[in-house]
Amino acid sequence: MKVLVIGGGAREHALCRSLSLDPDVTALHCAPGNAGIAEVAELHPVDQLDGAAVAALATELGAELVVVGPEAPLVAGVADAVRAAGIPVFGPSQEAAQLEGSKAFAKDVMAGAGVPTARSYVCTTPEEIDEALDAFGAPYVVKDDGLAAGKGVVVTEDIEAARAHALACDRVVIEEFLDGPEVSLFAITDGMTVLPLKPAQDFKRALDGDEGPNTGGMGAYSPLPWADPKLVDEVLETVLQPTVDELRRRGTPFSGLLYAGLAITSRGVRVIEFNARFGDPETQVVLARLKTPLAGVLLHSANGTLADQAPLSWSDDAAVTVVIASHNYPGTPRTGDPIEGLDEVAEKDAPHAYVLHAGTKRGEDGAVLSAGGRVLSVTATGSDLAQARERAYAAVGRIRLDGSQHRTDIARKAAEA
């Protein structure tokens, strides 16, 4: 089949890499893509928030499946426009994507579905903000109600910092702090059947030891040797299936990728947030372990036939991703710097380690340049986390990008456990 992927980050490069390895994919296109994706897919310029433009491109290419990668096009209704053009699309409708687009909507759905989550208040006035902060106490958890590219959440002991973030948002969700380790669990769904993938853990803070500001994610690993083997079954039963059933009951069926961000607390599993698309950087490690060809699974979701999908096949290998970010990220990043060492990684580390591009572009002379905050996701597999880590960091060590930064402790604790 001919497949068109929308987006241009490392998540989309991971999706394109998996799709390019699928024997059923005869032509692979990506819009707008990046310098790395260009090696496995044909790139096309498009405004990814313009549903009509995306639908027109998909029609022109004769695409038989469109995969919408990022959240902003989903919340903008791009999947609806492609569906209206009669093309199967992997990704929820604009209405269902509010599960990520609005924290308040997600809380309302969770309440209706009986899904365990943090107690919270939705606030729109300074008085409501002060009341909520006072009710929960420190550490304060303050979430912008809308999309904020993974950076709209502040967790702090400092009430003034919490209040300042809350006042800067039009509408804000203030909630109780959830203790315990966090887990990302993705599930593919067609609005009825829910097919969970393998869990992963990502690292949100910019600096080693979970210090520094929140980011879109600085690395990830899978599997989670410390997690209860029954975790996925439990989350499917208490979180994922009830949420999909509740959205269908409301007349807003959710098909695509349902991502549950979970806290494994002293009182049991609690949902921190939902996303309506594959997470970045967790996709990089989850897809590195998936052996089942990807295109057919996504097409089953798009066509409402996921019940026909055979059980997924997984590698026993571990996978680790380390994000290389540009100077000053997550502030305003410096861009336009040349990236060196990519050929060296391909020559010396493949097939166990490879580089997925996030914020890159080709310069006029053909050189690969940085073009965003998170620039590269260096991904490696190994027989266990220790070997996958070693391979990932060996590959990171070959890459040269002036002023770049990365965490040195991704998956360290889990590998040593």
Side-chain angles (χ1 to χ4, degrees), residues 52-204:
V54 171
L57 175 63
T59 303
E60 184 191 326
L61 295 173
E64 291 151 292
L65 173 66
V66 175
V67 179
V68 183
E71 60 274 22
L74 292 168
V75 172
V78 166
D80 303 273
V82 176
R83 269 194 199 96
I87 301 168
V89 59
F90 180 79
S93 67
Q94 181 174 33
E95 221 175 334
Q98 284 305 306
L99 200 60
E100 175 168 5
S102 166
K103 302 283 187 293
F105 176 79
K107 286 288 187 185
D108 191 53
V109 169
M110 284 188 259
V115 167
T117 185
R119 291 179 301 122
S120 64
Y121 294 108
V122 179
C123 308
T124 52
T125 67
E127 295 74 27
E128 288 174 348
I129 288 165
D130 287 341
E131 211 173 291
L133 292 172
D134 188 46
F136 289 128
Y140 303 100
V141 181
V142 183
K143 299 180 174 183
D144 189 336
D145 181 50
L147 287 183
K151 295 184 286 243
V153 180
V154 165
V155 181
T156 179
E157 298 279 346
D158 180 346
I159 190 161
E160 290 311 321
R163 182 181 285 120
H165 182 64
L167 290 169
C169 306
D170 287 340
R171 191 157 85 140
V172 68
V173 175
I174 295 173
E175 61 184 41
E176 68 176 326
F177 177 76
L178 296 173
D179 62 331
E182 293 184 15
V183 172
S184 299
L185 185 61
F186 302 161
I188 291 171
T189 180
D190 59 3
M192 294 277 288
T193 303
V194 181
L195 189 63
L197 305 185
K198 292 292 184 189
Q201 186 174 55
D202 81 328
F203 294 76
K204 284 279 184 231

Side-chain angles (χ1 to χ4, degrees), residues 206-207 218 323-330 332-340 370 372-375 399-407:
L207 308 175
M218 294 299 290
V323 170
I324 297 178
S326 53
H327 176 72
N328 199 41
Y329 178 78
T332 305
R334 193 173 83 202
T335 58
D337 289 315
I339 302 164
E340 295 172 344
S370 63
R374 292 186 295 171
V375 181
I399 292 169
R400 296 173 296 285
L401 169 61
D402 188 46
S404 69
Q405 51 173 322
H406 65 271
R407 282 184 58 161

Side-chain angles (χ1 to χ4, degrees), residues 41-56:
E42 189 181 331
L43 302 192
H44 305 269
V46 78
D47 175 356
Q48 56 184 357
L49 299 180
D50 182 340
V54 171

Side-chain angles (χ1 to χ4, degrees), residues 261-286:
L262 308 164
I264 313 301
T265 76
S266 50
R267 293 171 296 143
V269 174
R270 297 286 184 273
V271 175
I272 300 167
E273 64 174 357
F274 282 125
N275 290 332
R277 39 71 197 182
F278 279 103
D280 182 346
E282 301 97 320
T283 302
Q284 290 85 302
V285 291
V286 172

Side-chain angles (χ1 to χ4, degrees), residues 17 288 320 342-356 377-382 387-396 398-399:
R17 180 181 181 273
V320 171
L342 296 172
D343 292 344
E344 230 174 292
V345 174
E347 193 184 311
K348 296 179 177 167
D349 301 297
H352 302 298
Y354 48 88
V355 180
L356 297 168
S377 282
V378 180
T379 303
T381 55
Q387 187 180 47
R389 270 193 97 239
E390 195 180 310
R391 287 171 169 172
Y393 279 107
V396 167
R398 300 191 205 282
I399 292 169

Side-chain angles (χ1 to χ4, degrees), residues 242-263:
T243 300
V244 168
D245 292 346
E246 173 67 12
L247 284 162
R248 191 175 67 252
R249 189 187 67 74
R250 290 172 175 230
T252 53
F254 186 105
S255 87
L257 195 290
L258 177 59
Y259 163 146
L262 308 164

